[in-house]
Coordinates of all heavy atoms in Angstrom, one line a residue:
M1 N -34.7 -62.1 -20.7 CA -34.0 -62.0 -21.9 C -34.3 -60.7 -22.6 O -35.4 -60.3 -22.7 CB -34.5 -63.2 -22.8 CG -33.7 -63.3 -24.1 SD -34.2 -64.6 -25.2 CE -33.9 -66.1 -24.3
S2 N -33.3 -60.0 -23.0 CA -33.4 -58.7 -23.6 C -34.0 -58.8 -25.0 O -34.0 -59.9 -25.6 CB -32.1 -57.9 -23.6 OG -31.3 -58.5 -24.6
T3 N -34.5 -57.7 -25.5 CA -35.0 -57.7 -26.9 C -34.0 -58.0 -27.9 O -34.2 -58.7 -28.9 CB -35.7 -56.3 -27.2 OG1 -36.6 -56.0 -26.2 CG2 -36.3 -56.3 -28.5
L4 N -32.7 -57.5 -27.7 CA -31.6 -57.7 -28.6 C -31.3 -59.2 -28.7 O -31.1 -59.8 -29.7 CB -30.4 -56.9 -28.2 CG -29.2 -57.2 -29.1 CD1 -29.4 -56.8 -30.5 CD2 -28.0 -56.4 -28.5
T5 N -31.3 -59.8 -27.5 CA -30.9 -61.3 -27.4 C -32.0 -62.1 -28.1 O -31.7 -63.0 -28.9 CB -30.8 -61.7 -26.0 OG1 -29.9 -60.9 -25.3 CG2 -30.4 -63.2 -25.9
R6 N -33.3 -61.8 -27.9 CA -34.4 -62.5 -28.6 C -34.3 -62.3 -30.1 O -34.4 -63.2 -30.9 CB -35.7 -62.0 -28.1 CG -36.2 -62.8 -26.9 CD -37.5 -62.3 -26.5 NE -37.2 -61.2 -25.6 CZ -38.1 -60.2 -25.3 NH1 -39.3 -60.2 -25.8 NH2 -37.7 -59.2 -24.6
H7 N -33.9 -61.1 -30.6 CA -33.8 -60.8 -32.0 C -32.7 -61.5 -32.6 O -32.8 -62.1 -33.7 CB -33.6 -59.3 -32.2 CG -33.5 -58.9 -33.6 ND1 -34.6 -59.0 -34.5 CD2 -32.5 -58.4 -34.3 CE1 -34.2 -58.6 -35.7 NE2 -32.9 -58.3 -35.6
L8 N -31.5 -61.6 -31.9 CA -30.4 -62.3 -32.4 C -30.6 -63.8 -32.5 O -30.2 -64.5 -33.4 CB -29.1 -62.0 -31.6 CG -28.6 -60.6 -31.8 CD1 -27.4 -60.3 -30.9 CD2 -28.2 -60.3 -33.3
N9 N -31.3 -64.3 -31.5 CA -31.6 -65.8 -31.5 C -32.5 -66.1 -32.6 O -32.3 -67.1 -33.3 CB -32.3 -66.2 -30.2 CG -31.3 -66.3 -29.0 OD1 -30.1 -66.4 -29.3 ND2 -31.8 -66.2 -27.8
G10 N -33.5 -65.3 -32.9 CA -34.4 -65.5 -34.1 C -33.6 -65.4 -35.4 O -33.9 -66.1 -36.3
S11 N -32.7 -64.4 -35.4 CA -31.9 -64.3 -36.6 C -31.0 -65.5 -36.9 O -30.8 -65.9 -38.0 CB -31.0 -63.0 -36.5 OG -31.9 -61.9 -36.4
R12 N -30.5 -66.0 -35.8 CA -29.6 -67.2 -35.9 C -30.4 -68.4 -36.5 O -29.9 -69.1 -37.4 CB -29.0 -67.6 -34.5 CG -28.0 -68.7 -34.6 CD -27.4 -69.0 -33.3 NE -26.8 -67.8 -32.7 CZ -27.1 -67.4 -31.4 NH1 -27.9 -68.1 -30.7 NH2 -26.5 -66.3 -31.0
E13 N -31.7 -68.5 -36.0 CA -32.5 -69.6 -36.6 C -32.8 -69.3 -38.1 O -32.9 -70.2 -38.9 CB -33.8 -69.7 -35.8 CG -33.7 -70.1 -34.4 CD -33.0 -71.5 -34.3 OE1 -33.4 -72.4 -35.2 OE2 -32.1 -71.7 -33.5
N14 N -33.0 -68.0 -38.4 CA -33.2 -67.7 -39.8 C -32.0 -68.0 -40.7 O -32.2 -68.5 -41.8 CB -33.5 -66.2 -39.9 CG -34.3 -65.8 -41.1 OD1 -34.8 -66.7 -41.9 ND2 -34.6 -64.5 -41.3
V15 N -30.8 -67.8 -40.2 CA -29.6 -68.1 -41.0 C -29.5 -69.6 -41.1 O -29.1 -70.2 -42.2 CB -28.4 -67.5 -40.3 CG1 -27.1 -68.1 -41.0 CG2 -28.4 -66.0 -40.5
K16 N -29.8 -70.4 -40.1 CA -29.8 -71.9 -40.1 C -30.7 -72.4 -41.2 O -30.4 -73.5 -41.8 CB -30.1 -72.5 -38.8 CG -29.0 -72.3 -37.7 CD -29.4 -73.0 -36.4 CE -28.3 -72.8 -35.4 NZ -28.7 -73.3 -34.1
M17 N -31.8 -71.7 -41.4 CA -32.8 -72.2 -42.4 C -32.2 -72.3 -43.8 O -32.6 -73.0 -44.6 CB -34.1 -71.4 -42.4 CG -34.9 -71.6 -41.2 SD -36.4 -70.6 -41.0 CE -36.7 -69.9 -42.6
Y18 N -31.2 -71.4 -44.1 CA -30.6 -71.3 -45.4 C -29.5 -72.3 -45.6 O -28.8 -72.3 -46.6 CB -30.2 -69.9 -45.7 CG -31.3 -69.0 -46.1 CD1 -31.9 -68.2 -45.2 CD2 -31.7 -69.0 -47.4 CE1 -33.0 -67.4 -45.6 CE2 -32.8 -68.2 -47.8 CZ -33.4 -67.4 -46.9 OH -34.4 -66.6 -47.3
N19 N -29.2 -73.2 -44.6 CA -28.1 -74.1 -44.7 C -28.5 -75.4 -45.5 O -27.7 -76.2 -45.6 CB -27.6 -74.5 -43.3 CG -26.8 -73.3 -42.7 OD1 -26.3 -72.5 -43.4 ND2 -26.7 -73.3 -41.4
R20 N -29.8 -75.5 -45.9 CA -30.2 -76.6 -46.7 C -29.5 -76.5 -48.1 O -29.6 -75.5 -48.7 CB -31.7 -76.7 -46.8 CG -32.4 -76.9 -45.6 CD -33.9 -77.1 -45.8 NE -34.6 -76.7 -44.7 CZ -35.6 -75.8 -44.7 NH1 -36.0 -75.3 -45.8 NH2 -36.1 -75.4 -43.5
R21 N -28.9 -77.6 -48.5 CA -28.3 -77.6 -49.8 C -28.7 -78.8 -50.6 O -28.9 -79.9 -50.0 CB -26.8 -77.5 -49.7 CG -26.3 -76.2 -49.0 CD -24.9 -76.0 -49.1 NE -24.5 -74.7 -48.5 CZ -24.6 -73.5 -49.1 NH1 -25.1 -73.4 -50.3 NH2 -24.2 -72.4 -48.5
V22 N -28.7 -78.7 -51.9 CA -29.1 -79.8 -52.8 C -28.0 -79.9 -53.9 O -27.6 -78.9 -54.4 CB -30.5 -79.5 -53.5 CG1 -30.8 -80.6 -54.5 CG2 -31.6 -79.4 -52.4
Q23 N -27.7 -81.1 -54.2 CA -26.7 -81.4 -55.2 C -27.4 -81.5 -56.6 O -28.2 -82.4 -56.7 CB -25.9 -82.6 -54.9 CG -24.7 -82.9 -55.9 CD -23.6 -81.9 -55.6 OE1 -23.4 -81.4 -54.6 NE2 -22.8 -81.8 -56.7
L24 N -27.2 -80.6 -57.5 CA -27.8 -80.6 -58.8 C -26.8 -81.0 -59.9 O -25.7 -80.4 -59.9 CB -28.5 -79.3 -59.1 CG -29.6 -78.9 -58.3 CD1 -30.1 -77.5 -58.7 CD2 -30.8 -79.9 -58.3
P25 N -27.2 -81.8 -60.8 CA -26.2 -82.1 -61.9 C -25.9 -80.9 -62.7 O -26.8 -80.0 -63.0 CB -27.0 -83.1 -62.8 CG -28.2 -83.5 -62.0 CD -28.4 -82.5 -61.0
M26 N -24.7 -80.7 -63.1 CA -24.1 -79.6 -63.9 C -24.1 -78.3 -63.1 O -23.5 -77.4 -63.6 CB -24.9 -79.5 -65.2 CG -24.8 -80.7 -66.1 SD -25.7 -80.6 -67.6 CE -24.9 -79.2 -68.4
L27 N -24.8 -78.1 -62.0 CA -24.8 -76.9 -61.3 C -24.0 -77.0 -60.0 O -23.5 -76.0 -59.4 CB -26.2 -76.4 -60.9 CG -27.1 -75.9 -62.1 CD1 -28.5 -75.6 -61.6 CD2 -26.4 -74.8 -62.8
G28 N -23.9 -78.2 -59.5 CA -23.2 -78.4 -58.2 C -24.1 -78.3 -57.0 O -25.3 -78.5 -57.1
E29 N -23.5 -77.8 -55.9 CA -24.3 -77.7 -54.7 C -25.0 -76.3 -54.7 O -24.4 -75.3 -54.9 CB -23.4 -77.8 -53.5 CG -24.1 -78.0 -52.2 CD -23.1 -78.3 -51.1 OE1 -22.7 -79.4 -50.9 OE2 -22.8 -77.3 -50.3
V30 N -26.3 -76.3 -54.4 CA -27.1 -75.1 -54.5 C -27.9 -75.0 -53.2 O -28.4 -76.0 -52.7 CB -28.2 -75.2 -55.7 CG1 -29.0 -74.0 -55.7 CG2 -27.4 -75.4 -57.0
A31 N -27.9 -73.8 -52.6 CA -28.6 -73.5 -51.4 C -30.1 -73.4 -51.7 O -30.5 -72.8 -52.7 CB -28.2 -72.2 -50.7
V32 N -30.9 -74.0 -50.8 CA -32.4 -74.0 -51.1 C -33.0 -73.1 -50.0 O -32.8 -73.2 -48.8 CB -33.0 -75.5 -50.9 CG1 -34.5 -75.5 -51.1 CG2 -32.3 -76.4 -51.9
P33 N -33.8 -72.1 -50.5 CA -34.5 -71.3 -49.5 C -35.6 -72.0 -48.7 O -36.0 -73.1 -49.1 CB -35.1 -70.2 -50.4 CG -35.1 -70.7 -51.8 CD -34.1 -71.8 -51.8
P34 N -36.1 -71.4 -47.6 CA -37.1 -72.1 -46.9 C -38.4 -72.2 -47.7 O -38.6 -71.5 -48.7 CB -37.4 -71.1 -45.7 CG -36.3 -70.1 -45.7 CD -35.6 -70.2 -47.1
P35 N -39.3 -73.1 -47.3 CA -40.5 -73.4 -48.1 C -41.4 -72.2 -48.3 O -42.0 -72.1 -49.4 CB -41.2 -74.4 -47.2 CG -40.2 -75.1 -46.4 CD -39.2 -74.0 -46.2
D36 N -41.5 -71.3 -47.4 CA -42.3 -70.1 -47.6 C -41.7 -69.2 -48.7 O -42.5 -68.6 -49.5 CB -42.5 -69.3 -46.3 CG -41.2 -68.8 -45.7 OD1 -40.2 -69.4 -45.9 OD2 -41.3 -67.7 -45.0
K37 N -40.4 -69.1 -48.8 CA -39.8 -68.3 -49.9 C -40.0 -69.0 -51.3 O -40.2 -68.4 -52.3 CB -38.3 -68.2 -49.6 CG -38.0 -67.4 -48.4 CD -38.1 -65.9 -48.7 CE -37.7 -65.2 -47.4 NZ -38.0 -63.8 -47.5
V38 N -39.9 -70.4 -51.3 CA -40.1 -71.1 -52.5 C -41.5 -70.9 -53.0 O -41.8 -70.7 -54.2 CB -39.8 -72.6 -52.3 CG1 -40.2 -73.4 -53.5 CG2 -38.3 -72.8 -52.0
A39 N -42.5 -70.9 -52.1 CA -43.9 -70.7 -52.4 C -44.1 -69.2 -53.0 O -44.8 -69.0 -54.0 CB -44.8 -70.9 -51.2
Y40 N -43.4 -68.3 -52.4 CA -43.5 -66.9 -52.9 C -42.9 -66.8 -54.3 O -43.6 -66.2 -55.2 CB -42.7 -66.0 -51.9 CG -42.7 -64.5 -52.3 CD1 -43.8 -63.7 -52.1 CD2 -41.6 -64.0 -53.0 CE1 -43.7 -62.4 -52.5 CE2 -41.5 -62.7 -53.4 CZ -42.6 -61.9 -53.1 OH -42.6 -60.6 -53.5
Y41 N -41.8 -67.4 -54.6 CA -41.2 -67.3 -55.9 C -42.0 -68.1 -56.9 O -42.2 -67.6 -58.0 CB -39.7 -67.9 -55.9 CG -38.8 -67.1 -55.0 CD1 -37.9 -67.8 -54.2 CD2 -38.9 -65.7 -54.9 CE1 -37.0 -67.1 -53.3 CE2 -38.0 -65.0 -54.0 CZ -37.1 -65.7 -53.3 OH -36.3 -65.0 -52.4
A42 N -42.6 -69.2 -56.5 CA -43.5 -70.0 -57.4 C -44.7 -69.1 -57.7 O -45.2 -69.1 -58.9 CB -43.9 -71.3 -56.7
G43 N -45.2 -68.4 -56.7 CA -46.4 -67.6 -57.0 C -46.1 -66.5 -58.0 O -46.9 -66.2 -58.9
L44 N -44.9 -65.9 -57.9 CA -44.5 -64.9 -58.9 C -44.4 -65.5 -60.2 O -44.8 -64.9 -61.2 CB -43.1 -64.3 -58.5 CG -43.2 -63.2 -57.4 CD1 -41.8 -62.7 -57.1 CD2 -44.0 -62.0 -57.9
G45 N -43.9 -66.7 -60.3 CA -43.8 -67.4 -61.6 C -45.1 -67.7 -62.2 O -45.3 -67.6 -63.4
V46 N -46.1 -68.1 -61.4 CA -47.4 -68.4 -61.9 C -48.1 -67.1 -62.4 O -48.7 -67.1 -63.4 CB -48.3 -69.0 -60.7 CG1 -49.8 -69.1 -61.1 CG2 -47.8 -70.5 -60.5
L47 N -47.9 -66.0 -61.6 CA -48.5 -64.7 -62.0 C -47.9 -64.3 -63.4 O -48.6 -63.8 -64.2 CB -48.3 -63.6 -61.0 CG -49.1 -63.8 -59.7 CD1 -48.7 -62.7 -58.7 CD2 -50.6 -63.7 -60.0
A48 N -46.6 -64.5 -63.5 CA -45.9 -64.1 -64.8 C -46.4 -65.1 -65.9 O -46.7 -64.6 -67.1 CB -44.4 -64.2 -64.7
A49 N -46.6 -66.4 -65.6 CA -47.0 -67.3 -66.7 C -48.4 -67.0 -67.1 O -48.8 -67.2 -68.3 CB -46.9 -68.7 -66.1
L50 N -49.3 -66.6 -66.2 CA -50.7 -66.2 -66.5 C -50.8 -64.8 -67.1 O -51.9 -64.4 -67.3 CB -51.6 -66.4 -65.3 CG -51.7 -67.8 -64.8 CD1 -52.5 -67.8 -63.5 CD2 -52.3 -68.7 -65.8
Q51 N -49.7 -64.1 -67.2 CA -49.6 -62.8 -67.7 C -50.4 -61.8 -66.9 O -50.9 -60.8 -67.4 CB -50.0 -62.7 -69.2 CG -49.1 -63.5 -70.0 CD -49.5 -63.4 -71.5 OE1 -50.6 -62.9 -71.9 NE2 -48.6 -64.0 -72.4
V52 N -50.5 -62.0 -65.6 CA -51.1 -61.1 -64.6 C -50.1 -60.0 -64.4 O -50.5 -58.8 -64.3 CB -51.5 -61.8 -63.3 CG1 -51.9 -60.7 -62.3 CG2 -52.5 -62.8 -63.5
I53 N -48.8 -60.3 -64.3 CA -47.7 -59.3 -64.3 C -46.7 -59.7 -65.4 O -46.7 -60.8 -65.9 CB -47.0 -59.3 -62.9 CG1 -46.3 -60.6 -62.6 CG2 -47.9 -58.8 -61.8 CD1 -45.5 -60.6 -61.4
E54 N -46.0 -58.7 -65.9 CA -45.0 -59.0 -67.0 C -43.9 -59.7 -66.4 O -43.5 -59.5 -65.2 CB -44.6 -57.6 -67.6 CG -45.7 -56.8 -68.2 CD -46.2 -57.5 -69.5 OE1 -45.4 -58.1 -70.2 OE2 -47.4 -57.4 -69.8
W55 N -43.2 -60.6 -67.2 CA -42.1 -61.4 -66.7 C -40.9 -60.5 -66.2 O -40.3 -60.9 -65.3 CB -41.7 -62.5 -67.6 CG -41.1 -62.0 -68.9 CD1 -41.7 -61.8 -70.1 CD2 -39.7 -61.8 -69.1 NE1 -40.8 -61.4 -71.0 CE2 -39.5 -61.4 -70.5 CE3 -38.6 -61.8 -68.3 CZ2 -38.3 -61.0 -71.0 CZ3 -37.4 -61.5 -68.9 CH2 -37.2 -61.1 -70.2
P56 N -40.6 -59.4 -66.9 CA -39.5 -58.6 -66.4 C -39.7 -58.1 -65.0 O -38.8 -58.0 -64.2 CB -39.3 -57.5 -67.4 CG -40.0 -57.9 -68.6 CD -41.1 -58.8 -68.2
I57 N -41.0 -57.8 -64.7 CA -41.3 -57.3 -63.3 C -41.1 -58.4 -62.3 O -40.6 -58.2 -61.2 CB -42.8 -56.7 -63.3 CG1 -42.8 -55.5 -64.2 CG2 -43.2 -56.4 -61.9 CD1 -44.2 -54.9 -64.4
A58 N -41.6 -59.6 -62.7 CA -41.4 -60.8 -61.8 C -39.9 -61.0 -61.5 O -39.5 -61.3 -60.4 CB -42.0 -62.0 -62.4
V59 N -39.1 -60.9 -62.6 CA -37.6 -61.1 -62.4 C -37.0 -60.0 -61.5 O -36.2 -60.4 -60.6 CB -36.9 -61.1 -63.8 CG1 -35.4 -61.0 -63.6 CG2 -37.3 -62.3 -64.6
V60 N -37.4 -58.8 -61.6 CA -36.9 -57.7 -60.8 C -37.3 -57.9 -59.4 O -36.5 -57.7 -58.4 CB -37.4 -56.3 -61.4 CG1 -37.1 -55.2 -60.4 CG2 -36.7 -56.1 -62.7
I61 N -38.6 -58.3 -59.1 CA -39.0 -58.5 -57.7 C -38.3 -59.7 -57.1 O -37.8 -59.6 -56.0 CB -40.6 -58.8 -57.7 CG1 -41.3 -57.5 -58.1 CG2 -41.0 -59.3 -56.4 CD1 -42.8 -57.7 -58.4
T62 N -38.1 -60.7 -57.9 CA -37.4 -61.9 -57.3 C -35.9 -61.5 -57.0 O -35.4 -61.9 -56.0 CB -37.4 -63.1 -58.3 OG1 -38.8 -63.4 -58.6 CG2 -36.7 -64.3 -57.8
A63 N -35.3 -60.8 -57.9 CA -33.9 -60.4 -57.7 C -33.8 -59.5 -56.5 O -32.8 -59.7 -55.7 CB -33.3 -59.7 -58.9
G64 N -34.7 -58.6 -56.3 CA -34.7 -57.7 -55.1 C -34.8 -58.5 -53.8 O -34.1 -58.2 -52.9
H65 N -35.7 -59.5 -53.8 CA -35.9 -60.3 -52.6 C -34.7 -61.2 -52.3 O -34.2 -61.3 -51.2 CB -37.1 -61.2 -52.7 CG -38.4 -60.5 -52.4 ND1 -38.8 -60.3 -51.1 CD2 -39.3 -59.8 -53.2 CE1 -40.0 -59.6 -51.1 NE2 -40.2 -59.3 -52.3
L66 N -34.1 -61.7 -53.4 CA -32.8 -62.5 -53.2 C -31.7 -61.6 -52.6 O -31.0 -62.0 -51.7 CB -32.4 -63.2 -54.5 CG -33.3 -64.3 -55.0 CD1 -32.9 -64.7 -56.4 CD2 -33.3 -65.5 -54.0
L67 N -31.6 -60.4 -53.2 CA -30.5 -59.5 -52.7 C -30.8 -59.1 -51.3 O -29.8 -59.0 -50.5 CB -30.4 -58.3 -53.6 CG -29.8 -58.6 -55.0 CD1 -29.9 -57.3 -55.9 CD2 -28.3 -59.0 -54.8
A68 N -32.0 -58.8 -50.9 CA -32.4 -58.4 -49.6 C -32.1 -59.6 -48.6 O -31.5 -59.3 -47.5 CB -33.8 -58.0 -49.5
D69 N -32.4 -60.8 -49.0 CA -32.1 -61.9 -48.1 C -30.6 -62.1 -47.9 O -30.1 -62.4 -46.8 CB -32.7 -63.2 -48.7 CG -34.3 -63.2 -48.5 OD1 -34.8 -62.4 -47.7 OD2 -34.9 -64.0 -49.2
Q70 N -29.9 -62.0 -49.0 CA -28.4 -62.2 -49.0 C -27.8 -61.1 -48.1 O -26.9 -61.4 -47.3 CB -27.8 -62.1 -50.4 CG -26.3 -62.3 -50.4 CD -25.8 -62.1 -51.8 OE1 -26.5 -61.7 -52.7 NE2 -24.6 -62.4 -52.0
H71 N -28.3 -59.8 -48.2 CA -27.8 -58.8 -47.3 C -28.1 -59.0 -45.9 O -27.3 -58.8 -45.0 CB -28.3 -57.4 -47.8 CG -28.0 -56.3 -46.9 ND1 -26.7 -55.8 -46.9 CD2 -28.7 -55.6 -45.9 CE1 -26.7 -54.8 -45.9 NE2 -27.9 -54.7 -45.4
F72 N -29.3 -59.5 -45.6 CA -29.8 -59.8 -44.2 C -28.9 -60.8 -43.6 O -28.4 -60.7 -42.5 CB -31.2 -60.2 -44.2 CG -31.7 -60.6 -42.9 CD1 -31.9 -59.6 -41.9 CD2 -32.0 -61.9 -42.6 CE1 -32.3 -59.9 -40.6 CE2 -32.5 -62.2 -41.3 CZ -32.6 -61.2 -40.3
S73 N -28.6 -61.9 -44.3 CA -27.8 -63.0 -43.7 C -26.4 -62.5 -43.5 O -25.7 -62.9 -42.5 CB -27.8 -64.2 -44.6 OG -27.2 -64.0 -45.8
G74 N -25.8 -61.7 -44.3 CA -24.5 -61.1 -44.1 C -24.5 -60.2 -43.0 O -23.5 -60.1 -42.2
L75 N -25.5 -59.4 -42.8 CA -25.6 -58.5 -41.7 C -25.7 -59.2 -40.4 O -25.0 -58.9 -39.4 CB -26.9 -57.6 -41.8 CG -27.2 -56.6 -40.7 CD1 -26.1 -55.5 -40.7 CD2 -28.5 -56.0 -41.0
V76 N -26.5 -60.3 -40.3 CA -26.6 -61.1 -39.1 C -25.2 -61.7 -38.8 O -24.8 -61.8 -37.6 CB -27.7 -62.2 -39.3 CG1 -27.7 -63.2 -38.1 CG2 -29.0 -61.5 -39.3
R77 N -24.6 -62.2 -39.8 CA -23.2 -62.8 -39.6 C -22.3 -61.8 -39.0 O -21.5 -62.1 -38.1 CB -22.7 -63.4 -40.9 CG -21.5 -64.3 -40.7 CD -21.0 -64.9 -42.0 NE -22.0 -65.6 -42.7 CZ -22.5 -65.2 -43.9 NH1 -21.9 -64.2 -44.5 NH2 -23.4 -65.9 -44.5
G78 N -22.3 -60.6 -39.5 CA -21.4 -59.5 -39.0 C -21.7 -59.2 -37.6 O -20.8 -59.0 -36.8
V79 N -23.0 -59.1 -37.3 CA -23.4 -58.8 -35.9 C -22.9 -59.9 -34.9 O -22.4 -59.7 -33.9 CB -24.9 -58.5 -35.8 CG1 -25.3 -58.5 -34.3 CG2 -25.3 -57.2 -36.5
G80 N -23.1 -61.1 -35.4 CA -22.7 -62.3 -34.6 C -21.2 -62.3 -34.3 O -20.7 -62.5 -33.2
E81 N -20.4 -62.0 -35.4 CA -18.9 -61.9 -35.2 C -18.5 -60.8 -34.3 O -17.6 -61.0 -33.5 CB -18.3 -61.8 -36.6 CG -18.4 -63.0 -37.4 CD -17.9 -62.8 -38.8 OE1 -17.5 -61.7 -39.2 OE2 -17.9 -63.8 -39.6
A82 N -19.2 -59.6 -34.4 CA -18.9 -58.5 -33.5 C -19.2 -58.8 -32.1 O -18.4 -58.5 -31.2 CB -19.7 -57.3 -34.0
L83 N -20.3 -59.5 -31.8 CA -20.6 -59.9 -30.5 C -19.7 -60.9 -29.9 O -19.4 -61.0 -28.7 CB -22.1 -60.4 -30.4 CG -23.2 -59.3 -30.5 CD1 -24.5 -60.0 -30.6 CD2 -23.1 -58.3 -29.4
Q84 N -19.2 -61.8 -30.8 CA -18.3 -62.9 -30.4 C -17.0 -62.3 -30.0 O -16.3 -62.7 -29.0 CB -18.1 -63.9 -31.5 CG -17.5 -65.2 -31.1 CD -17.5 -66.2 -32.2 OE1 -17.5 -65.8 -33.4 NE2 -17.5 -67.4 -31.9
D85 N -16.5 -61.2 -30.7 CA -15.3 -60.6 -30.4 C -15.3 -59.8 -29.1 O -14.3 -59.5 -28.5 CB -14.8 -59.7 -31.6 CG -14.4 -60.5 -32.8 OD1 -14.1 -61.7 -32.6 OD2 -14.4 -60.0 -33.9
A86 N -16.5 -59.3 -28.8 CA -16.7 -58.4 -27.6 C -16.6 -59.1 -26.3 O -16.5 -60.2 -26.1 CB -18.0 -57.7 -27.6

């Protein structure tokens, strides 16, 4: 198995992890990140609550991680579609 194939298989599993969804009242259906991401975001929240870091910094870090994850899943989807067309 080539390195690219192994990488794409791992990426496919990563995208599948984000398919968990929860129905919330007034918000509708919401995607739930994997448990390790939830723990990371909770840790940032605890640090901000204990005033170890300022809350605007915690918000910026969280937003950056969410945007990076969103870009990564879109990139993987694009590569998958390109390989499917080839």
Side-chain angles (χ1 to χ4, degrees):
M1 184 182 297
S2 71
T3 305
L4 176 62
T5 306
R6 270 182 277 159
H7 180 67
L8 288 175
N9 286 340
S11 299
R12 187 176 304 127
E13 292 302 319
N14 205 3
V15 169
K16 285 181 184 177
M17 287 177 18
Y18 281 95
N19 287 337
R20 293 187 211 129
R21 299 195 177 275
V22 174
Q23 187 72 24
L24 295 178
M26 298 178 63
L27 290 178
E29 193 173 280
V30 178
V32 178
D36 60 332
K37 297 281 184 188
V38 172
Y40 178 78
Y41 299 139
L44 279 175
V46 168
L47 290 174
L50 295 175
Q51 297 181 351
V52 174
I53 60 174
E54 297 291 328
W55 69 266
I57 294 172
V59 169
V60 168
I61 291 171
T62 302
H65 278 275
L66 289 172
L67 288 173
D69 288 342
Q70 181 181 9
H71 173 74
F72 176 70
S73 67
L75 178 66
V76 170
R77 189 176 312 116
V79 169
E81 289 172 359
L83 288 174
Q84 194 173 29
D85 292 340

